[in-house]
Amino acid sequence: MPDECSAFVPGHITGFFSTHPDDDPTRAGSRGAGLTLTDGVTTTVSPARESSIELDGSRVEIDPVERVLDALSVTARVEAVSSVPIGAGFGVSGAMALGTAYAANQVFDCRLSANELVTVAHGAEVQAGTGLGDVVAQARGGIPIRLEPGGPAHGRLDEIPTRVRVEYHSFGELSTESVLAGDTDRLDEAGRLALSRVVKEPTLTSFMFASRRFAREAGLLTDDVKRAVEAVATAGGQAAMAMLGNTVFALGTGLTDAGYDPSICATHPAGAMIE
């Protein structure tokens, strides 16, 4: 067994979603669509007498990661480095949960399959209330469409078959837990309509239109993001809000053309992987 192992998990921007609770966390989750990114989170796992978690060099408590370690019955030092903003709609907690599962499987010779590891990480994130669909999307990569909620045994995915440059700019954090814990009826209806549009026309143009409309109809659009989306549109580009974060993302050179100084990456061609 190796002394340590690292796994890379792409960041994930959700354009729209609807929630689907279930007493079984492997069946619970969300429908929706998003982009996985070449920017993401690298998580390194090594054996330890007591478990600890670090993110970008700081000691942290991240419930989904702790749940993954408990589910695998291991104690480990988990060290993560993120190239995407924290708490801003990039699926960092899901990336750390999935990266921990992949790396721990190698270090501790757990002998679990990819689907089993995704199920563990997805269930951990759902139970923690920090996300509903990031893990399954991050495991797949590309531009995934989540047609049915849940982990690999129950969920169903499709994909918009293309790759594109992505620009993003974060104005700060939004609490995923507070949104998911509130009344989601308005959000869920907007998410169902958005998914219907993209399933009917699985293109980037349709995805961006559906994402912008979802943010407005769900009542989640912030003033900062609204101004940025309008500026990108004026410059001839397409932009939308990352769910759930005070973050704008655009395709191509949209944010640059609108006068912003964005971070630049691309959609990730594959999902989570051992490094």
Side-chain angles (χ1 to χ4, degrees), residues 230-237 253-254 256-259:
E230 291 172 347
V232 171
T234 299
T253 59
T256 299
D257 293 343

Side-chain angles (χ1 to χ4, degrees), residues 132-152:
L132 293 173
D134 287 321
V135 167
V136 293
Q138 289 164 321
R140 182 184 180 103
I143 306 172
I145 305 170
R146 303 188 305 281
L147 298 173
E148 295 295 339

Side-chain angles (χ1 to χ4, degrees), residues 28-156:
S30 64
R31 296 184 176 96
L35 310 172
T36 63
L37 307 176
T38 50
D39 286 353
V41 180
T42 297
T43 301
T44 301
V45 173
S46 55
R49 289 186 177 181
E50 293 185 0
S51 292
S52 63
I53 306 169
E54 291 184 10
L55 175 57
D56 293 336
S58 298
R59 185 77 173 260
V60 292
E61 293 183 2
I62 299 182
D63 194 1
V65 174
E66 294 170 1
R67 290 176 182 271
V68 167
L69 295 176
D70 287 344
L72 298 179
S73 299
V74 301
T75 57
R77 181 178 182 182
V78 178
E79 301 170 277
V81 177
S82 176
S83 59
V84 293
I86 312 301
F90 291 89
V92 172
S93 63
M96 288 185 64
L98 185 56
T100 297
Y102 268 53
N105 187 58
Q106 296 289 314
V107 171
F108 295 99
D109 194 27
C110 297
R111 303 184 184 184
L112 299 180
S113 71
N115 278 353
E116 290 171 321
L117 295 170
V118 174
T119 298
V120 168
H122 171 75
E125 173 124 283
V126 168
Q127 289 177 311
T130 52
L132 293 173
D134 287 321
V135 167
V136 293
Q138 289 164 321
R140 182 184 180 103
I143 306 172
I145 305 170
R146 303 188 305 281
L147 298 173
E148 295 295 339
H154 307 291
R156 186 162 63 92

